[in-house]
Amino acid sequence: MSKNSQFTPTELHHWQLTLAEANRHNIFCHCRHCEAEWVDSSEEAACPHCGSKNIERIACWQFPDD
């Protein structure tokens, strides 16, 4: 464990699992073709508006709540 870590190895593992779970179910999607935006749990989904596969995906946990 790093001297600078604020987590025990068990806590760090739990935190990483929590982030992985959030990533699997809360993906902000932006279609580069038609500019549509939506939240999805699939990393392979096409745009529901135009069918494009040219999608930018960002994990929602990266956005502030306010």
Side-chain angles (χ1 to χ4, degrees), residues 21-60:
E21 186 69 14
N23 282 341
R24 277 193 292 275
H25 298 290
N26 297 294
I27 306 297
F28 173 80
C29 302
H30 169 251
C31 178
R32 291 182 177 116
H33 181 74
C34 74
E35 303 296 324
E37 297 177 340
W38 68 98
V39 174
D40 203 328
S41 61
S42 171
E43 293 188 26
E44 301 299 322
C47 176
H49 301 278
C50 72
S52 174
K53 296 259 187 191
N54 189 3
I55 309 296
E56 175 183 23
R57 292 174 174 83
I58 303 170
C60 286

Side-chain angles (χ1 to χ4, degrees), residues 10-29:
T10 301
E11 290 170 332
L12 179 60
H13 180 71
H14 179 73
W15 179 74
Q16 290 169 332
L17 290 175
T18 300
L19 287 180
E21 186 69 14
N23 282 341
R24 277 193 292 275
H25 298 290
N26 297 294
I27 306 297
F28 173 80
C29 302

